Amino acid sequence: MNWFQELLANPALTEALPEAFVETLVMVGISGVFTLVIGLALGVILHVTAPGGLRPVSWLHVLLSAVINVTRSIPYAILMVALIPFTAWLVGTSIGPIAACVSLTIGTAPFFARLVETSLREVPSGTVDAARVMGSTRGQIVRKVLLPEAMPGLVASITTTLVMLVGYSAMAGLIGGGGLGRLAYNYGYQRFDTAVMIATIVIMVILVQLIQWIGDRIVRAVDHR
Amino acid sequence: MISIRDLRKVYRQGEREVVALDGIDLTVPTGAVHGIIGHSGAGKSTLVRCLTLLDRPTSGSVSIDGSELSTAADRDLLQARRRIGMVFQHANLLDSRTVLGNVAYPLEVTGQDKAGRTARARELLGLVGLEDYEASYPSQLSGGQRQRVGIARALASDPRVLLCDEPTSALDPATTDGILELIRDLSDRLGLTVVVITHEMHVVKKICTSVSLLDQGRIVEGGVLTEVASDLGSRLSAALLPLPEAALDTAGPLVEVLGHGPAADVPVSTVIKDRFGHGVRVLAGSVEDLAGVRFAHHLLALPDGAEGRTDGADAVVAFLEQNGYRAAQRTRTQVETAQGTAQDLGGAQ
């Protein structure tokens, strides 16, 4: 059991790792909430303002669509660096998990918005027509018809987005975000501490599996189709 | 009462203008069950969308019980729509809601309290015979049950008018009859004015009191069912009272005869034999009850060489007309055209 005692004696594993794990959870948690709220709003606006939508507004749809496409075409590794001045201005610092949340949210919200738009588009037009014929207002159609009917797709999209955030948060760690990404880089890469590298990978895999498993369970519970 | 005046709908397709509705005029009195029949592309879907104002008509007016829909402002439109109950081909239920939640939906959007709408939804489910299914989801129901939920939902806001768009086209024949009987029964019990849009003559025969034929965006024939049916030679008559495919292998002149009421119960060949002394061959015939009236429809072949004689085709037709029948001499082409019309409108046997 020599190697096990060695592991327990390694402060990188006993002290830095738990701290880094919490930082990762904070990053994914905070940016996750912002991404879901902003992305959901953008996705609904995209769908509603589209030609033939509930309230077609051509210029808004084109503008929003363009902004989302531009943001999505910038690789996250570049986006997070490019956003450093903006982050410093917005939250007062460009270092740490809170600062990382800014670029994480801006990097993933447009992606989630597109997934939301796709899910909403899958609600049959006949269902929306029925709601209109029954005298629903546009707000009622969004809240009582579009979102509930698209719920299985939306939950699956949330799962995908959170998994992506876990990956991005590790990248954010490299430029001062902290978390498991930074731990793996500092110890695993720069100090050749293989144990830390492996432990980080195992934790990431478990975290992603857990998110996916919970997401799939919720999809099954809300899917009545 | 539904009143449609000179309703037109023109779509733009790039440079081209497509006239989907070309001046529809129609009045459906309160309590009537009116069928609008036409094959696909005749403008049925556009008419439905204009009646519910899902699409604004290009010109013309639609009014229900005297209140004008086509010029209503958006806010009034919500109220106006709630006076029309609509039944869709595929029911269009909300998959995320239970049966009870679906039926309560129209009451929810008008802001009725939860206890009130649950009670009303239960009552409506009883009306369509689905009281035991209130906690089921639509995906757990059969097509016919889903359509019953759709009908209950359409009635939730106490509409005066029920608009049914191909209500049975996605159902099998046995289920179709159940749904049609339900619509007819509800119309009688609740005094509803019903408009049924369909491409199947079976639906019209089963429940309608009056019918219109829609073709290329116009109503080309129409009226009370029994009157339309006895109008020998019209397209609706050919489709309402179709004849079986006949072997037209005789050389003699063909005569088509339609008798209704008491005349339908007398064998027409005997009537002719008694008067002219020669028999006729019955090439095809059908006897049907429409809206409580019996119709006997026959295609007869007179003996070869009877043409031009005093007992020829003209004399037979004139005699039949005098005796309460509708009769006309037919060419072989005319018989085949009528057969095609019947097939076109889903009335062929």
Side-chain angles (χ1 to χ4, degrees), chain A residues 90-133:
Chain A
L90 190 69
V91 295
T93 172
S94 63
I95 310 285
I98 304 295
C101 288
V102 176
S103 67
L104 283 175
T105 303
I106 294 175
T108 47
F111 169 75
F112 182 58
R114 281 286 181 218
L115 294 184
V116 169
E117 190 199 14
T118 311
S119 300
L120 295 180
R121 212 184 291 148
E122 266 160 34
V123 177
S125 63
T127 310
V128 177
D129 281 347
R132 287 178 65 192
V133 169

Side-chain angles (χ1 to χ4, degrees), chain B residues 167-248:
Chain B
T168 58
S169 301
L171 303 176
D172 60 62
T175 318
T176 292
D177 285 356
I179 293 293
L180 293 177
E181 273 157 28
L182 176 67
I183 292 174
R184 183 62 190 259
D185 178 51
L186 289 171
S187 144
D188 290 346
R189 280 161 68 184
L190 307 175
L192 293 171
T193 308
V194 180
V195 174
V196 185
I197 314 270
T198 184
H199 68 277
E200 291 171 316
M201 204 39 115
H202 172 75
V203 173
V204 174
K205 280 185 182 176
K206 187 98 186 167
I207 60 171
C208 292
T209 50
S210 55
V211 60
S212 297
L213 173 62
L214 190 65
D215 189 20
Q216 297 187 332
R218 292 167 191 260
I219 289 179
V220 291
E221 287 180 14
V224 175
L225 196 64
T226 48
E227 288 173 12
V228 169
S230 47
D231 184 11
L232 190 70
S234 73
R235 290 166 66 185
L236 279 173
S237 175
L240 278 166
L241 303 166
L243 286 171
E245 197 100 29
L248 303 175

Side-chain angles (χ1 to χ4, degrees), chain B residues 94-177:
Chain B
L94 297 170
D95 290 331
S96 58
R97 287 177 178 238
T98 60
V99 163
L100 193 72
N102 267 289
V103 179
Y105 179 88
L107 303 170
E108 201 176 310
V109 299
T110 55
Q112 198 176 107
D113 63 279
K114 193 165 168 45
R117 57 186 197 240
T118 304
R120 174 82 178 126
R122 289 215 169 102
E123 184 189 328
L124 289 163
L125 283 175
L127 210 55
V128 298
L130 283 180
E131 50 275 87
D132 295 336
Y133 291 86
E134 63 171 58
S136 305
Y137 283 91
S139 61
Q140 298 166 318
L141 303 180
S142 69
Q145 288 171 328
R146 274 202 292 277
Q147 197 55 289
R148 280 171 190 269
V149 177
I151 292 170
R153 178 179 70 174
L155 297 174
S157 54
D158 252 328
R160 302 314 307 141
V161 170
L162 193 62
L163 182 59
C164 307
D165 182 14
E166 302 273 6
T168 58
S169 301
L171 303 176
D172 60 62
T175 318
T176 292
D177 285 356

Side-chain angles (χ1 to χ4, degrees), chain A:
Chain A
M1 292 302 276
N2 210 9
W3 61 272
F4 190 68
Q5 276 159 0
E6 244 173 63
L7 281 188
L8 290 181
N10 186 345
L13 287 178
T14 52
E15 285 167 38
L17 184 87
E19 199 182 316
F21 180 62
V22 170
E23 281 174 356
T24 292
L25 289 186
V26 168
M27 276 192 282
V28 173
I30 294 177
S31 56
V33 168
F34 278 104
T35 296
L36 298 191
V37 171
I38 295 170
L40 188 67
L42 291 180
V44 168
I45 294 172
L46 263 183
H47 181 73
V48 169
T49 58
L54 280 178
R55 184 83 178 81
V57 186
S58 190
W59 66 267
L60 184 59
H61 182 77
V62 171
L63 181 77
L64 204 57
S65 200
V67 169
I68 285 174
N69 286 346
V70 168
T71 321
R72 284 192 60 201
S73 52
I74 305 172
Y76 180 66
I78 296 171
L79 186 76
M80 66 185 187
V81 178
L83 281 173
I84 286 176
F86 175 72
T87 306
W89 170 79
L90 190 69
V91 295
T93 172
S94 63
I95 310 285
I98 304 295
C101 288
V102 176
S103 67
L104 283 175
T105 303
I106 294 175
T108 47
F111 169 75
F112 182 58
R114 281 286 181 218
L115 294 184
V116 169
E117 190 199 14
T118 311
S119 300
L120 295 180
R121 212 184 291 148
E122 266 160 34
V123 177
S125 63
T127 310
V128 177
D129 281 347
R132 287 178 65 192
V133 169
M134 287 184 281
S136 319
T137 62
R138 293 190 190 100
Q140 286 170 331
I141 291 175
V142 172
R143 281 180 288 115
K144 293 174 185 290
V145 178
L146 284 178
L147 292 178
E149 289 293 294
M151 199 48 84
L154 289 176
V155 174
S157 305
I158 292 172
T159 310
T160 308
T161 305
L162 288 179
V163 167
M164 199 169 86
L165 266 177
V166 171
Y168 280 7
S169 78
M171 254 193 274
L174 298 184
I175 60 151
L180 290 169
R182 179 155 193 86
L183 186 82
Y185 180 72
N186 285 355
Y187 290 84
Y189 178 67
Q190 293 187 323
R191 293 192 194 175
F192 305 106
D193 190 336
T194 313
V196 173
M197 188 63 104
I198 291 171
T200 310
I201 293 172
V202 169
I203 289 177
M204 295 284 250
V205 167
I206 292 172
L207 185 59
V208 168
Q209 292 291 336
L210 195 66
I211 292 172
Q212 190 66 50
W213 182 75
I214 293 173
D216 290 347
R217 288 292 294 255
I218 299 177
V219 169
R220 239 173 294 150
V222 298
D223 194 352
H224 299 294
R225 287 174 296 186

